[in-house]
Amino acid sequence: MKESLGANTLVYPTPVWVIGTYNDDGSANAMTAAWGGICCSKPPCLAVSLREATLSHGNIKRNGAFTVHIGTEKLIAETDYFGISTGRVTDKLADTGLKAEKSDMVNAPLLNEFPLILECRLKQIVEIGLHTQFIGEIMDVKADKDILGEKDLPDVELLRPLVFSPVLRHYHGIGELVGQAFNIGKKFKNKD
Amino acid sequence: MKESLGANTLVYPTPVWVIGTYNDDGSANAMTAAWGGICCSKPPCLAVSLREATLSHGNIKRNGAFTVHIGTEKLIAETDYFGISTGRVTDKLADTGLKAEKSDMVNAPLLNEFPLILECRLKQIVEIGLHTQFIGEIMDVKADKDILGEKDLPDVELLRPLVFSPVLRHYHGIGELVGQAFNIGKKFKNKD
């Protein structure tokens, strides 16, 4: 018999993404979000949901673009700070000492201290409730060489992305490799 | 200088969810998806993207409901199997020996061997490209008592959810607690 925990966003794992946008004065802003995920393979798209009250919400609408920086253990304090401060009252990048460069793909900043960055062009806006969902087409992925492993693809054990637990608000690291997808379940095939 | 990896769904972490639906003959189906995430806090909603070719796609449209079972290390083989087989040619639940019960909240099945299940009512459908995104309002969350920790909320170290790496198709476990969100970034506040 299971316990009922009520209607709540108790989903695991959730990502920790730093969303990069340009403010209307051309300065760069960074905001951390955990409400997101991939939403399409072709074209490759991701979705991130933001409250209308945020500066980033207006920035994405105005610029039609944003960047997604994967939050990592190494940058945990910076990543967290971008989620608890607001660009309306402080220059978040100056506070942390991180620098922004212009993406050559979309009208949004790159914070190159983050080892993995996705450059997105706004494709669709979906109004849901408190949050607006921004669907971005992934135009390119930029990665530091030292997080690339097998097949020159990102290796999560090198990237060390943060994993967020909603409600309890815990950041966890990535654990060990426990299996190969599209393979470990084959034991149930052709049983007869 | 970063490497360009091209337009690809290289996002970390992604979840591993088993989507439960009813087929048109009333039998239960289960399908694994990694393209999803939370998309709104109020009302609490999650989004999952499926290809139109899947049985689950039609099932959600017809029934207006689905369940989300968090894939876990313990059920890694079953979880993977639901992603590599199709309900069109086999009874996936029978193959794995898992049983389905009817949810008392929505018109979708519960696979109670999974320790954490979200019961969702279809709220919105968003056509994106190869994938259709289904936005479900979370009506209730059901949990096994033995995965609850602090504040009677799910403890990811007990739940042990799978974490998926797209393209390389690796399942990882959850790692250690590395920080408290909305807290560890405070060191950058009020620096002056």
Side-chain angles (χ1 to χ4, degrees):
Chain A
M1 188 63 189
K2 282 186 156 59
E3 305 276 312
S4 166
L5 305 184
N8 210 335
T9 51
L10 294 166
V11 162
Y12 309 88
T14 82
V16 184
W17 291 346
V18 173
I19 309 302
T21 56
Y22 281 121
N23 298 318
D24 57 5
D25 66 0
S27 61
N29 193 27
M31 178 197 166
T32 305
W35 288 181
I38 299 172
C39 61
C40 190
S41 298
K42 287 181 190 175
C45 294
L46 57 77
V48 63
S49 290
L50 305 177
R51 286 175 299 113
E52 191 173 2
T54 63
L55 203 53
S56 304
H57 185 289
N59 288 348
I60 295 176
K61 276 195 160 173
R62 190 178 55 254
N63 299 321
F66 59 98
T67 45
V68 174
H69 307 75
I70 306 296
T72 63
E73 286 186 40
K74 193 173 168 190
L75 291 166
I76 186 172
E78 289 83 352
T79 299
D80 191 56
Y81 181 67
F82 296 144
I84 59 179
S85 52
T86 169
R88 293 191 198 283
V89 299
T90 190
D91 180 337
K92 300 191 201 185
L93 294 177
D95 293 344
T96 58
L98 297 191
K99 305 279 181 228
E101 285 178 50
K102 175 125 180 36
S103 159
D104 58 359
M105 296 294 292
V106 299
N107 184 23
L110 299 177
L111 311 180
N112 276 314
E113 287 86 351
F114 284 86
L116 189 65
I117 312 175
L118 295 102
E119 296 161 291
C120 300
R121 186 158 64 190
L122 180 62
K123 186 174 184 294
Q124 285 163 255
I125 296 177
V126 185
E127 297 294 346
I128 301 173
L130 178 64
H131 285 79
T132 302
Q133 185 189 54
F134 294 99
I135 296 176
E137 181 175 345
I138 301 164
M139 307 307 293
D140 197 12
V141 180
K142 299 288 200 307
D144 285 343
K145 217 176 172 73
D146 62 5
I147 60 132
L148 301 180
E150 190 188 334
K151 297 177 188 170
D152 275 335
L153 288 165
D155 179 330
V156 286
E157 296 186 29
L158 298 171
L159 174 64
R160 307 215 63 75
L162 294 171
V163 180
F164 182 64
S165 292
V167 188
L168 284 182
R169 299 178 160 189
H170 289 163
Y171 293 127
H172 280 257
I174 199 86
E176 292 188 356
L177 181 69
V178 291
Q180 181 69 41
F182 299 82
N183 187 52
I184 197 168
K186 283 183 183 165
K187 70 173 188 179
F188 294 113
K189 276 207 169 176
N190 310 314
K191 285 170 56 167
D192 47 5
Chain B
M1 188 62 188
K2 283 185 155 58
E3 304 277 312
S4 166
L5 304 183
N8 210 336
T9 51
L10 294 166
V11 162
Y12 308 88
T14 82
V16 184
W17 291 345
V18 174
I19 310 301
T21 56
Y22 282 121
N23 298 318
D24 58 5
D25 67 359
S27 62
N29 192 26
M31 179 198 164
T32 303
W35 287 183
I38 299 172
C39 61
C40 189
S41 298
K42 288 180 189 175
C45 294
L46 57 75
V48 63
S49 290
L50 304 177
R51 286 176 298 111
E52 191 173 2
T54 63
L55 204 51
S56 303
H57 185 287
N59 288 348
I60 295 176
K61 274 195 160 173
R62 190 178 55 254
N63 299 320
F66 59 99
T67 45
V68 174
H69 307 75
I70 307 296
T72 64
E73 287 185 40
K74 193 173 167 189
L75 291 166
I76 185 171
E78 289 83 351
T79 299
D80 191 56
Y81 181 67
F82 296 144
I84 59 180
S85 51
T86 169
R88 293 190 198 283
V89 299
T90 191
D91 180 337
K92 299 191 199 184
L93 293 177
D95 293 344
T96 58
L98 298 191
K99 304 281 181 225
E101 285 178 51
K102 175 127 181 36
S103 159
D104 57 359
M105 298 293 293
V106 298
N107 184 23
L110 300 177
L111 311 180
N112 277 313
E113 287 85 351
F114 285 87
L116 189 65
I117 312 175
L118 295 102
E119 297 160 291
C120 300
R121 187 158 63 189
L122 180 62
K123 187 175 183 293
Q124 285 162 256
I125 296 177
V126 185
E127 297 296 345
I128 302 175
L130 179 63
H131 285 79
T132 302
Q133 180 184 242
F134 295 99
I135 295 175
E137 181 175 345
I138 302 165
M139 307 308 292
D140 197 11
V141 180
K142 299 289 200 307
D144 284 343
K145 216 177 173 71
D146 63 5
I147 60 131
L148 301 181
E150 189 187 336
K151 298 177 187 170
D152 275 336
L153 288 165
D155 178 330
V156 285
E157 295 187 29
L158 297 171
L159 175 63
R160 307 215 64 76
L162 294 171
V163 179
F164 182 63
S165 292
V167 188
L168 284 180
R169 299 179 161 190
H170 289 163
Y171 293 126
H172 279 257
I174 199 87
E176 292 189 356
L177 180 69
V178 292
Q180 180 70 41
F182 298 82
N183 187 54
I184 198 169
K186 283 183 183 165
K187 71 173 187 179
F188 292 114
K189 277 205 168 177
N190 308 315
K191 285 172 51 170
D192 48 3

